[in-house]
Structure formats: structure tokens, C-alpha cells
Amino acid sequence: MLLLRLAPDTRRYVGLDISAAVLDGLRTAVDRAGLRQVVELVHGEAVDAERFHGAQFDLVACNSVTQYFADTEYLRRATDAAIHAAGGGRVVSGDVRDQSLLGAFHACVVLTQAGLDTPGAELARRWRRRMAEEAQMLVDPQWFTGYARQSPGVAQVEIRPRRGLRRNEMNDFRFDVVLHIRPRPGVDIDRWLDWPRESPDTRTLRQLLQTRPETLGMLRIPNRRTAAAAALAAELATGADRPTVELHDLQRQAEAKAIDPEDLIDLAEELGYRCHLSRASAAPDGAFDAAFTRIGASHDVDAVPRFPTAPAHSRTMVTEPVRQRIVADARGSLLPALRRHAEASLPAYERPAAYVAIPELPLTRHDKVDAAALPEPEVERPQISTPFAAPNSETQTAVAAIWAELLGIDRVGAYDDFVELGGDSLLAARCAVRLSESFGVRLPSGIVFTAPTVARVARVIEDRFAGADASSGPTADGMAPSPRRPTPRLPLTSSQSVFWFLDHYRRLGGSRNPDFALPVHYRISGPVDTAALRDAVDTLVARHQALRTAVHLNAADGYQTVNEARPGILMVHTLDADDPEKALREAAGRDDRRPLDPGTGAVFTADLISASHTEHLLILRVHHMVCDGWALDVLEQELGELYHARRTGRAARLGPPPSYADHVHRTDERFFVDLGWRDCEPYRSALGYWERYTVGAEPIFLTDQHNAGSRRTETCGVILPAHEAQALLAVGRAHQATLFASLLTCLAPLLAADSDDPNVRLLTLNAARDEPGLDRMVGLLIDPVLIRVQAPSGSSFGGLLRHTSEMVRQTLANSDVPLLALCEQIPELMTVTMESQFVAFECLPPVRGLNLDGCRLRRSDPFEPDFAGTSFDLPVDLLLVARPEADTVRLVALYDPDTFPAEYVRALLTRLRDVAANGAANPSVTVDSLVAADPWMAGQRHRKDAE
């Protein structure tokens, strides 16, 4: 460091630093070096050098700090303070980042990070974004020359390119400044010449210096350290879409015609000259000037050559980091807030498709917004481990187009990994349905997990065409479609059957509980068209059979029947209130005034409470026996569209949903009546997988609380903040892991530590919408899936993440067969399913919510801590739920307090958040260092062992 190199030869050395920790370390080093009498260490920032005004230091050095300054005014104040402290000496600012080379530097970075297949237009877009997001201060060399002209305390200024043989950012794109307070002898250069552009080496200069002039100056010398980057930046600025290979060639050509500054210094020394380099011209290509003075001539050894005054340019002299940070914060917080506001205030067709933060609006010369200069929205393919390869067949092209649409990106390569691009299990299910509809072949819901690239999916589709007649449509899976049975009595779905079992044998009456429901509240500001809303609700119920289905959970068996649609579902209540907000808040707490009863078909209620013409509360409650999270999103989107259509007098833009009754009958016939599925693909492979997967599996018991439960459900939650959530997502994608797999990686070692069992077992809930149209249908279609994770001691977080991700892929790829159908064939799975505590983990999709024209809505549900209504009452022991919200992730636990105390569950969520943050920050860390057994759980085990 400078201190230990310079202080021994000084009478007084003062070190000023803003970091107290750094100063503490320096004091130790100073004491060891025996320099305490010479060195004074002061805590302060750069402008605090003003306290040494008039101290007459010989040298004031500000090394590698200007990039951290806040704005131009701070730079000026810090430079003023340094000059006042220097007295008659010099001020040196070292390692100043060069604003005139901003474009060249970032062009070099984007090309280095790009693959050979990245289009030039995409490089240009990344380049512009990097420049716009530059968060440090860069200073143009001409700022210092201008400052010197205006400052009476500065006699001369030198702008020196950085010296050094190494090629790196500090040597190539920075400069040093020397401000002389006391005038030094100057040297007038007799002859200034432009560097010959046709001369890519120093032969011409050698010939000139061999004539032995006292002085010689060369102007505009192309800089080998920056020429390639500058040529690339100039090309990107034109907008030409040149291939990456050509851009690399362009760089090589530009560099071949340029000179390394160190070559000039070596040549000068060889021929008996001193070489003085200058970047005062601030040429945007990095070109520099050089003055040569002959050693032994009449001028002073310390004389400073007088370089020609470069013409001033109109570029920005200094970047403004504070401004850039404001824009960056806007991208990180304002844009998500705007998106949420739009989702609450606008119907889907009126919401912006993309949001872009820019420092200012570009204007024409007439002060109008220059629309052509506005940046394009972000839709880029993310940077992933696989170089882009264009699809090379019609099938690949069609598959890639479907992926790009679902993932919301501009392009998908033939060998891109679905999960690495941002896909998850819910998108995977939608993808399988879209592919089946598009190609007319039935594909497994987990197709993108067994065939994770476009090329492999295309191969599966082409093999299906080659091996079977696809004319039978999406149901061509080796089984003929079952005809619809004419009986009105429907069997229970697989998931309903699980809840029937819980209702009779584990949590008596829990599945029939009126609060086993999905409630949602919408606080509305704005005029509500009551007639349109009433009509929209009635139409919604008429469209979806599940919303008028009675579910009978008799002791012997269970069944369901679809009732006729009846009008008048929406009830309107008017409050006479002086304080509408308070009145509506109190009304929210009475949202169960119309109890749900699945046995009679009263499974959906809608209430509109109005406290004024513009202040309302809409309450929707749907029984969980006929609806899941996916279906709730369908309900909200359709209700908004139906309301808008009714108000505008047009037909609703909604296709008819599949028949709920037909789907239930078809599934029952396929898996529980006709057992031919066991010999048909993909079901045969799935059955084989689960037979192997469940070998040695034991029931799930986290505690020894074997009671019927309290029939109460408590809720608590935490937020994984944006920076931690995005870091976890980034690490997950790098390991081809979804958010679910990434969080499961964090949860598994916690449960392993708490249970003292590295073989972690729990349930998750599969969307089970693997047929065309099911993504548009309301119903309880989720299906429990057993998850097993090995969390052995000594595993790294990254290693466990890879293992968990692969396990999740394989499990979801074989999830086409309902759980109960598998249980009938695999006794071990039946034992685990029926004898376990209901401990589950699921990841919900982001909420899109409801929109009503002309109104602003604020949505709330029991996952949020300030929900004012009746919360969930679920027949579960412990259910952990993750739900993305903007850039954060909400983690919620729903639990039976008689099985798991609140202190344990709250601590589990906190520990889960901590493991996610620490594991994402350092994937190589061992999981053992991140987790420890919970004290309550450890006490449970000790008491059990003692018994």
C-alpha cells in the first residue's frame, strides 16, 4: 500500500479514510512498521481534507476513490480541499475511470460475455443498458483541464494514461491526473506531427527520433489498449446487426493498427529520450498524445511539456452515480409497485405489457417526446450455460415459439434448458398442454423434465408421429377415450378422496368444514356496476360446474353431483357509515355470514358490501373441495372479463371450459375402472418409477403427536426480500432448479436435522392439469405427490441443490398417474400416504388478481398477515407455501397448533429464510454449517428416547 511505501521517507504523513475498520487495520500496520511518530490516521471522507487547509503538504494523493464520489459537486469540493491542503505541492488523482471511454469499456464487456451466436442487435441493446446502468463516477479528462483553467490555485495539469504491462480495466480505461500548485518549468515542443495512420508500428517514429531533435510531439496516436473496444462501440452505435464473429474480426483489425503506449516509452529510452504521454484530448477512441524530450538537452529534467490545447467537446463530462442509483432503485422497487398498481386498477387488456425505467424522456428539438428514441422493453433470452443455437426444423421452430411465449422471452434455442430459462412446474404443465394441442399428440405433463430442451421435445413429438397415428388427437396415449357415463352421480377425484380419508380417519369433519375454503377480499375504490357484477357472477357459475357441485362425504364412500345453475349468487349489502374504511374493515371480519356447505352444493358465495357510492368490499369464498389455487386464478380472470363484457355490451372473449363432470368420469374410467393404463405409456413408465421410488419409504412423522388434531389452523409467514429471493432464483437457474426445488433444498436439511433422519419425506401438490382445456376449468384437480430428498451430512448447498433439482424433475416427469391409482398398485405408497402426518410443501404461482373496469382494487387473502377475514381451516398438520410476489417470495406456514407449537413453526420459517439467503450467497458452503436441530424438536426426540 502507498502508506508503507511512502511514509518512511516523509516528515509527516496523514491518511484520511471513511472506513473506521480500515483505519484500525492501518494503525496495526503502522505500529508494526515503527511509524507512529510520522503517520497520523484520520477518520473522514474526501472533502474533509479541507481541515488541513494551508498545511503545505508536498503531495496530496487521492488514489482510486473518485469512482465512489456521488456527483460533480462532490468531485469539485474534494479537489478544492486537496488543493488547499497541498499548498505549494501537487495533487494526484489516481485510477480515474475515463468517461470518454465509457462506451468502449462496456462494448468490450458485452462482447466478452456474449456467445458467438449472439446477434449484433442484441449486443447493442445490452451495451446501451450497461452504459445506462453504470453506477460509478467516470470523469472525462477535459473536466480536469477545464477545472485547472478556472482554478487560480492550479498552475499546470497533466493527464497521464495509466502505465503497466498488464492488460486490464485499470490500465486500459483509466488515467492519472497531476495538478501542480507551484509552476514547474515548461518545455515548448518544436514540432507536432499527426501520427501516420498508415503506420501500425514505430518505424516512422524511430526514423524521426534518430535525427536527434531536442523535442518532438506526436498527436492522436491510436491506442492499442482501447482501439478494439472503441471500434466495437462505434459499430454498436450504428445499430447494424453484424454477426459476433465479424465484430471480433473488427476488433482484431483495429488493434493491429494501433500502438501500445509502453512501446513508445521503451523506444524513447532506447534512443535517449524521455517520453511524456497525455490523454488531455479525451479522444473517444482512447488515442493519446506523446512528447519526446532529448536527455541532456538544455531543458530542465523536471520540465513539463506543453501539449496543444484540445478543442472542448460537448459530451457529458462526469457521470452522476446518484442519478443512476435512483434509476436502478426505480427498476428494483418502483416498477414492481407500478405493476402491482396496474394489476389492481386496470383490466388485463389495458395493462402495460412491459415497464422500462429511464433517467429522462428523450425529446425532439420541438420539446416533444421522441418516441423513436425510447428504449425497447426487456424481453431478452437470459444468459444461460448453453450458447444459442437456432432451431433447425419445423418441429423445433414450433416448440421454441411455444416456449418463448410461455416464458415471455424473445427467442429460445434448440438446446436451451426449460428450467434454466425460467420455467417451473406450473409452466411445464401449461407447456405440455400447449404442445399437445398444437401437435395433436398426448404428451406427459412433465415432458420438459424428461426432455428439457427444444431439440429433445421435438424428437419425442416426431417419434410419436412416426410410431402412432396422431389423428385421434391429444388423447392418443395408447388407450381409447372412455365414453361419458350418463349417470349424474360423479366419483370423487383423487385429491377429494384423500380429503375424504382425512375427514373420516384423521381430522373428523375437517374436509366438510365451512372454513375449509379459499377466501379472497377486494377493497374497491370506484363506482361498481352492481348489475354487471351480478350478471358476471351468475355467468361464471353457469360456466363452471364445479362452482355448483355438491360433494357428499358419507362414511361408506363419497361422491359428487352437479346442481343446476341458479341466479342471484351475488348478495349486495349497503352500510350507512360515517367512516367507510372502518365499516368495511369490520364487515371483512364477518365474511363467513353465509356458511359454505359442500354437502348441499353451497360451495361458492359472493358478497358486495358498499359503504358509499365509491367505497366497497367484495368477498369471494369458494370451498376447497371444488377449487384449488390454479382454479381460483381462472375464476378471477374470467370474472373480470365477464364484468367488462357486460358493461361494454360485447360478448365475453372466453372459450367454453371443459365439462367438469366429463373430466371426472373420464379420469375415473381411465385409472380406477379400466386398469389397462398399467400397460400404456407414459403410465407404464410412471408406475415403474414409483415402484422403485417408494422402496423403503416410511410414513412421515415429524412429531409424536398422534391425535385427531384440533381442527384449527394457525397461519404465520415471513418474506424472503427481493435481493435474497433473486439471488436464490439465480443460483437455482444456474443449477437447472425451479423455485420449488431451490426452496426444497433449503427446507430438506432443516427437516432432516429436526427429525434426525437424512431421508426427508413430505408431500407436494401437483397442478395435474395435463389435458387441453383443463387450465381453463375450475375444480379441485391438484394431486398429492410424495417427495423424497436425501440430505446427508457434509453436502454442499450447491451439491444438494443439484441432487434435489434432478429428483424433482424425475418426480414431476412421472406424475401423470393420480396418487390413489398408484397406491392401489404399490402397497408401500399406500402405507406412506394413509399413515403419515399431513406435512406438505407447495409453490404457488404469482397472483394476477381481479380487475373491475373503472375501479381500483386491493386484494387480500389469508396468506397476508393483515387479512381481516376468516382464515383457512385446513385438515393438515403442517403445510408450507411459497408464493412469489413481485421480486420477493412470501413464505407461509399453515399448521395445527396441537401438533406443532407456534414457536417451532415461526422459527422454522425464519431458519428457512436464513438457509435460502446464506446458501444462495455461497453455494459451496456445507449445509451442516447452515442448519441445526430446533430445540423443541430435539426435546421431543429426547423424551421419546427416554420412554
Side-chain angles (χ1 to χ4, degrees):
M1 61 183 70
L2 289 177
L3 187 155
L4 297 179
R5 289 164 53 191
L6 300 179
D9 298 320
T10 64
R11 294 193 306 273
R12 183 187 183 195
Y13 188 108
V14 176
L16 182 68
D17 199 285
I18 196 171
S19 171
V22 169
L23 292 175
D24 289 341
L26 287 176
R27 288 189 182 94
T28 300
V30 167
D31 290 344
R32 288 175 181 164
L35 297 172
R36 181 180 296 183
Q37 302 302 317
V38 176
V39 176
E40 175 186 355
L41 297 177
V42 179
H43 183 248
E45 51 186 295
V47 294
D48 292 331
E50 187 64 39
R51 71 178 71 174
F52 300 104
H53 193 141
Q56 299 293 311
F57 286 104
D58 295 313
L59 173 67
V60 176
C62 304
N63 197 52
S64 201
V65 294
T66 56
Q67 64 265 33
Y68 304 115
F69 290 172
D71 51 31
T72 306
E73 176 60 20
Y74 192 95
L75 173 64
R76 184 194 60 77
R77 289 174 55 208
T79 308
D80 286 347
I83 289 172
H84 296 159
R90 290 172 293 174
V91 173
V92 174
S93 289
D95 289 346
V96 180
R97 293 191 64 192
D98 195 333
Q99 156 69 9
S100 67
L101 296 176
L102 173 65
F105 168 65
H106 286 298
C108 179
V109 172
V110 297
L111 186 60
T112 300
Q113 294 178 344
L116 292 177
D117 54 355
T118 306
E122 172 62 16
L123 281 179
R125 193 199 61 75
R126 297 178 190 175
W127 172 63
R128 287 189 292 270
R129 177 173 178 177
R130 283 189 63 92
M131 289 193 295
E133 293 181 346
E134 176 57 65
Q136 291 189 343
M137 174 176 282
L138 284 78
V139 186
D140 192 292
Q142 288 198 358
W143 186 90
F144 286 101
T145 57
Y147 175 89
R149 287 194 300 269
Q150 298 171 8
S151 176
V154 179
Q156 293 161 302
V157 60
E158 294 181 77
I159 310 292
R160 302 174 178 175
R162 292 278 300 167
R163 293 284 310 276
L165 297 175
R166 293 181 180 274
R167 294 292 302 276
N168 53 43
E169 183 269 335
M170 293 187 70
N171 286 343
D172 292 0
F173 297 98
R174 301 195 188 199
F175 60 89
D176 297 331
V177 181
V178 182
L179 299 173
H180 298 278
I181 312 305
R182 184 186 302 112
R184 293 180 63 187
V187 176
D188 290 318
I189 304 301
D190 298 328
R191 185 185 182 192
W192 286 100
L193 301 173
D194 281 333
W195 185 267
R197 288 286 175 173
E198 68 280 359
S199 177
D201 54 36
T202 59
R203 284 178 293 182
T204 300
L205 176 61
R206 175 182 291 274
Q207 293 170 3
L208 291 170
L209 292 179
Q210 284 176 339
T211 65
R212 308 305 293 164
E214 280 201 11
T215 63
L216 177 67
M218 303 298 295
L219 299 174
R220 291 173 283 279
I221 305 170
N223 189 346
R224 183 171 295 169
R225 299 183 175 190
T226 59
L232 174 62
E235 182 66 21
L236 294 178
T238 67
D241 191 5
R242 295 181 62 177
T244 305
V245 173
E246 291 187 12
L247 295 177
H248 281 289
D249 289 340
L250 175 70
Q251 284 194 304
R252 283 190 287 268
Q253 294 167 13
E255 190 166 288
K257 298 176 182 178
I259 301 297
D260 192 310
E262 292 295 326
D263 290 345
L264 299 188
I265 293 172
D266 292 343
L267 177 63
E269 291 180 355
E270 176 190 340
L271 300 178
Y273 283 82
R274 294 186 182 89
C275 179
H276 306 264
L277 305 179
S278 174
R279 272 282 295 148
S281 66
D285 61 355
F288 58 95
D289 303 328
F292 299 87
T293 57
R294 197 177 71 222
I295 297 173
S298 58
H299 47 261
D300 192 289
V301 173
D302 295 327
V304 178
R306 295 187 180 92
F307 285 83
T309 301
H313 57 71
S314 58
R315 295 191 306 263
T316 301
M317 291 287 187
V318 181
T319 59
E320 300 287 347
V322 170
R323 186 184 189 193
Q324 298 300 84
R325 289 177 193 135
I326 291 173
V327 174
D329 288 343
R331 289 191 179 96
S333 57
L334 177 61
L335 295 191
L338 286 174
R339 186 175 291 107
R340 290 192 298 270
H341 179 71
E343 289 170 352
S345 307
L346 299 173
Y349 61 89
E350 290 185 1
R351 296 178 212 159
Y355 298 79
V356 181
I358 55 177
E360 58 189 0
L361 289 173
L363 301 177
T364 66
R365 60 182 180 178
H366 302 297
D367 289 334
K368 303 293 185 181
V369 174
D370 186 355
L374 290 171
E376 291 293 326
E378 291 283 322
V379 290
E380 68 174 29
R381 168 184 178 267
Q383 297 272 345
I384 62 175
S385 59
T386 306
F388 178 81
N392 57 18
S393 70
E394 290 186 9
T395 305
Q396 287 188 11
T397 301
V399 173
I402 291 173
W403 283 27
E405 180 182 347
L406 289 172
L407 295 167
I409 56 179
D410 58 343
R411 59 182 186 148
V412 173
Y415 306 106
D416 293 354
D417 183 277
F418 183 80
V419 172
E420 199 173 0
L421 288 172
D424 56 27
S425 59
L426 295 175
L427 285 174
R430 286 176 174 164
C431 184
V433 170
R434 289 286 305 278
L435 292 169
S436 296
E437 290 177 325
S438 177
F439 291 98
V441 294
R442 181 176 174 81
L443 297 172
S445 60
I447 180 66
V448 295
F449 297 124
T450 55
T453 67
V454 164
R456 292 179 62 181
V457 170
R459 174 64 63 84
V460 170
I461 293 171
E462 291 166 353
D463 288 347
R464 293 287 178 92
F465 276 112
D469 178 13
S471 61
S472 58
T475 60
D477 54 6
M479 297 178 63
S482 300
R484 184 173 67 87
R485 299 193 309 185
T487 173
R489 179 165 166 156
L490 304 177
L492 298 180
T493 66
S494 179
S495 51
Q496 287 174 333
S497 296
V498 171
F499 286 124
W500 171 86
F501 174 82
L502 294 174
D503 185 86
H504 287 281
Y505 298 101
R506 295 295 304 279
R507 294 176 175 273
L508 304 182
S511 300
R512 287 168 285 178
N513 190 326
D515 293 329
F516 180 34
L518 301 176
V520 190
H521 291 189
Y522 308 89
R523 178 65 175 85
I524 304 173
S525 294
V528 174
D529 187 333
T530 305
L533 184 59
R534 181 179 285 112
D535 184 76
V537 171
D538 288 343
T539 303
L540 182 73
V541 173
R543 283 174 52 80
H544 292 282
Q545 294 175 328
L547 295 179
R548 44 191 169 89
T549 292
V551 183
H552 307 277
L553 303 179
N554 301 329
D557 64 351
Y559 66 95
Q560 48 188 333
T561 55
V562 178
N563 295 331
E564 293 295 325
R566 292 186 173 86
I569 300 298
L570 177 71
M571 302 296 291
V572 179
H573 315 270
T574 302
L575 302 178
D576 184 11
D578 295 329
D579 186 343
E581 185 66 35
K582 180 180 179 182
L584 294 176
R585 181 78 178 176
E586 293 174 351
R590 301 189 299 272
D591 62 352
D592 57 352
R593 68 182 75 191
R594 297 169 64 194
L596 300 174
D597 182 2
T600 64
V603 292
F604 175 59
T605 61
D607 291 87
L608 179 68
I609 302 118
S610 298
S612 74
H613 178 65
T614 58
E615 302 301 325
H616 318 271
L617 176 67
L618 175 64
I619 299 174
L620 302 181
R621 300 182 77 234
V622 57
H623 203 277
H624 210 338
M625 287 297 288
V626 298
C627 185
D628 52 29
W630 187 309
L632 186 61
D633 177 73
V634 172
L635 187 154
E636 289 181 308
Q637 301 311 304
E638 289 202 0
L639 183 59
E641 170 60 18
L642 292 167
Y643 178 80
H644 176 71
R646 176 66 171 78
R647 291 194 71 212
T648 58
R650 63 164 174 80
R653 295 168 181 153
L654 298 171
S659 166
Y660 176 72
D662 285 353
H663 170 71
V664 173
H665 273 309
R666 187 168 58 250
T667 303
D668 186 64
E669 289 281 353
R670 175 175 294 164
F671 292 107
F672 300 99
V673 177
D674 181 0
L675 299 183
W677 67 268
R678 297 174 299 181
D679 300 317
C680 297
E681 293 296 349
Y683 308 133
R684 180 172 56 190
S685 295
L687 179 60
Y689 171 83
W690 285 101
E691 287 173 340
R692 297 187 302 273
Y693 188 75
T694 54
V695 171
E698 296 180 354
I700 304 166
F701 285 107
L702 290 186
T703 72
D704 57 356
Q705 307 290 337
H706 305 308
N707 54 51
S710 65
R711 294 180 55 182
R712 290 188 301 119
T713 302
E714 299 291 341
T715 305
C716 62
V718 298
I719 292 290
L720 190 61
H723 66 283
E724 294 177 359
Q726 295 308 306
L728 181 65
L729 283 170
V731 170
R733 288 176 181 173
H735 291 77
Q736 288 82 47
T738 61
L739 175 62
F740 172 81
S742 299
L743 286 170
L744 182 60
T745 301
C746 304
L747 177 62
L750 292 171
L751 298 182
D754 289 350
S755 62
D756 195 26
D757 183 358
N759 182 13
V760 176
R761 305 167 305 286
L762 70 161
L763 299 174
T764 190
L765 302 174
N766 182 31
R769 280 168 163 80
D770 56 354
E771 295 181 12
L774 293 186
D775 58 333
R776 305 191 308 273
M777 187 179 77
V778 173
L780 179 64
L781 304 187
I782 56 172
D783 195 44
V785 176
L786 175 66
I787 293 289
R788 298 181 70 179
V789 180
Q790 290 289 335
S793 177
S795 300
S796 70
F797 182 83
L800 184 59
L801 180 57
R802 281 189 294 272
H803 164 75
T804 305
S805 174
E806 180 59 26
M807 180 277 303
V808 169
R809 282 178 180 249
Q810 291 297 320
T811 300
L812 295 179
N814 290 277
S815 61
D816 293 272
V817 182
L819 174 67
L820 289 189
L822 291 172
C823 287
E824 289 183 353
Q825 306 300 317
I826 307 173
E828 293 88 345
L829 184 58
M830 177 70 80
T831 300
V832 172
T833 302
M834 299 305 171
E835 296 184 9
S836 295
Q837 290 179 330
F838 197 107
V839 178
F841 170 57
E842 67 171 324
C843 195
L844 298 178
V847 171
R848 293 190 291 176
L850 170 67
N851 292 282
L852 300 179
D853 286 358
C855 298
R856 185 173 68 253
L857 279 70
R858 186 173 69 248
R859 183 187 191 277
S860 62
D861 60 34
F863 289 112
E864 300 169 19
D866 58 350
F867 180 66
T870 304
S871 189
F872 299 118
D873 201 340
L874 308 182
V876 300
D877 294 289
L878 176 64
L879 172 62
L880 299 174
V881 177
R883 185 171 74 182
E885 297 182 359
D887 291 332
T888 69
V889 175
R890 184 182 297 276
L891 303 173
V892 179
L894 301 96
Y895 63 99
D896 181 347
D898 284 355
T899 305
F900 296 96
E903 295 77 9
Y904 168 73
V905 178
R906 285 195 292 266
L908 178 63
L909 288 177
T910 300
R911 295 157 68 207
L912 177 60
R913 181 183 60 193
D914 292 344
V915 173
N918 295 324
N922 182 12
S924 63
V925 67
T926 60
V927 175
D928 296 349
S929 66
L930 300 179
V931 302
D934 178 82
W936 180 80
M937 291 291 284
Q940 289 276 304
R941 293 202 312 272
H942 292 327
R943 283 191 294 273
K944 184 177 180 180
D945 293 341
E947 295 173 357

